[in-house]
Amino acid sequence: MIARATALILLSTTWTARARDYDPLHISTNAVQTLDLKIHDPRRKRDIPVLIYLTESEKPASVVLFSHGLGGSRSGNPYLGTHWARRGYTAVFVQHPGSDHDVWQNIPPNERMKALEKAAGGKNYMLRVKDIPGVIDQLTEWNTTEDHPLCGKLDLDRIGMSGHSFGALTTQAVSGQSAGRGRITFRDPRIKAACAFSPSIPALGKPEDAFSTVDIPWMIMTGTKDDAFIGNSDAASRLRVYPALPAGGKYEVVLHNAEHSAFGERGLPGDREPRNPNHHRVILALSTAFWDAHLAGNPDALAWLNGDGPKSVLEKQDRWQRK
């Protein structure tokens, strides 16, 4: 009994030391390459543009998908794609026609809000949800296509899903959230972990019912002032997601004074708070540690994430919890 206790103490001490040496903000010096490609989904006769970030690697890389918010595009949030690529992931940024930047770019400013509100409906939600399996199918084909720049470079047994705002809703749907009394689900079982920026509770039903089917690791990030400019999602409602999640590999980050735009590259009209440079530092560190722990299977990352690691990047008024 004493020997077992001693062994556990030594193991804990070793893990603590390893976690202390782990740094999710450290990046390789490898140059990041981008591929701007188009995926054709023949079943829906739909083209899906993607921007792919990657670096040279001797072995296939885990894949992280990213779904943009309403009115965004595949070129948004390059700080995420670049960092994740330098950490050894292939980051695939998906553009969703119908709810992308084409919705507002070429119309008069006074008509843009109405166009965005129309694009935020159920039709585009379903298009987005079905885009993700189509993208994974194409990545699978490219991974075995000789002479394709992605041939042999993807580890498709380790796929993570992420997104912001409307992209968070997309992420939630394909990574385990259910809907309706019949437990309707759009989950793609190839997705092994998910990170949602500005998540939302379902419009109908109880969050506990919708999220009870989530059985893979989730990390959710929001802010104390994370109010959407379209729709009913506000900071208070976003805080109802985490309590409704079942235990087991679930994490929540709440950034103090972070508005909806904090997860993007620039502010939005109507922002009231100055941008905090540490918010992006937290987002990069915690999302990377999450991928390292739950996609790459790095025990040091898991120890860092489940220990005092997050405190090293969070500010005093930020909130962090796990279960």
Side-chain angles (χ1 to χ4, degrees), residues 36-50:
D36 201 350
L37 304 174
K38 186 172 288 185
I39 289 171
H40 180 69
D41 185 340
R43 289 169 295 184
R44 297 184 296 152
K45 299 179 180 178
R46 178 172 166 85
D47 291 329
I48 308 164
V50 294

Side-chain angles (χ1 to χ4, degrees), residues 17-305:
R18 288 167 61 181
R20 192 181 301 120
D21 293 336
Y22 170 79
D23 181 7
L25 292 174
H26 176 75
I27 56 174
S28 72
T29 57
N30 294 344
V32 175
Q33 176 187 3
T34 57
L35 302 175
D36 201 350
L37 304 174
K38 186 172 288 185
I39 289 171
H40 180 69
D41 185 340
R43 289 169 295 184
R44 297 184 296 152
K45 299 179 180 178
R46 178 172 166 85
D47 291 329
I48 308 164
V50 294
L51 183 62
I52 301 175
Y53 298 80
L54 71 163
T55 60
E56 287 299 323
S57 175
E58 295 180 358
K59 61 181 182 179
S62 301
V63 174
V64 175
L65 307 178
F66 184 86
S67 172
H68 63 77
L70 179 65
S73 74
R74 63 194 183 282
S75 62
N77 295 301
Y79 79 102
L80 289 173
T82 300
H83 186 82
W84 292 341
R86 283 184 169 155
R87 291 290 301 190
Y89 297 93
T90 295
V92 181
F93 280 50
V94 182
Q95 184 166 325
H96 304 280
S99 56
D100 60 1
H101 59 185
D102 288 342
V103 171
W104 60 270
Q105 275 193 334
N106 298 315
I107 63 174
N110 63 334
E111 296 178 13
R112 290 176 179 175
M113 188 62 71
K114 185 180 293 186
L116 286 166
E117 289 173 349
K118 182 178 179 181
K123 177 182 177 182
N124 278 313
Y125 173 76
M126 290 305 304
L127 287 171
R128 284 169 157 263
V129 166
K130 293 179 180 180
D131 283 346
I132 301 305
V135 169
I136 297 175
D137 289 346
Q138 184 64 76
L139 292 174
T140 302
E141 182 178 334
W142 283 340
N143 201 37
T144 57
T145 301
E146 291 186 13
D147 298 327
H148 193 279
L150 291 177
C151 183
K153 294 187 176 181
L154 308 177
D155 182 353
L156 295 170
D157 290 326
R158 300 173 186 265
I159 299 177
M161 181 69 207
S162 63
H164 176 232
S165 195
F166 208 175
L169 282 173
T170 308
T171 297
Q172 293 168 214
V174 298
S175 61
Q177 179 181 336
S178 61
R181 293 182 179 179
R183 287 277 189 258
I184 300 169
T185 179
F186 302 104
R187 178 183 174 183
D188 191 312
R190 294 171 291 185
I191 294 170
K192 307 304 183 185
C195 183
F197 307 100
S198 300
S200 296
I201 56 174
L204 300 173
K206 297 179 180 179
E208 292 78 8
D209 292 338
F211 298 129
S212 65
T213 49
V214 177
D215 59 2
I216 63 173
W218 268 29
M219 175 175 281
I220 56 177
M221 298 194 190
T222 184
T224 58
K225 298 184 178 180
D226 191 355
D227 301 322
F229 64 94
I230 290 177
N232 298 320
S233 294
D234 58 13
S237 68
R238 300 189 200 284
L239 295 178
R240 295 177 60 193
V241 176
Y242 179 79
L245 291 171
K250 307 301 189 298
Y251 307 86
E252 181 189 51
V253 185
V254 183
L255 298 172
H256 179 65
N257 274 350
E259 295 182 279
H260 197 59
S261 65
F263 301 96
E265 294 282 343
R266 59 185 65 85
L268 293 171
D271 282 356
R272 297 181 179 181
E273 295 292 334
R275 291 178 69 82
N276 182 345
N278 198 60
H279 287 165
H280 276 198
R281 181 169 176 262
V282 171
I283 292 164
L284 291 174
L286 295 183
S287 65
T288 298
F290 178 74
W291 300 133
D292 287 352
H294 295 288
L295 282 187
N298 184 334
D300 298 347
L302 185 63
W304 186 93
L305 198 61

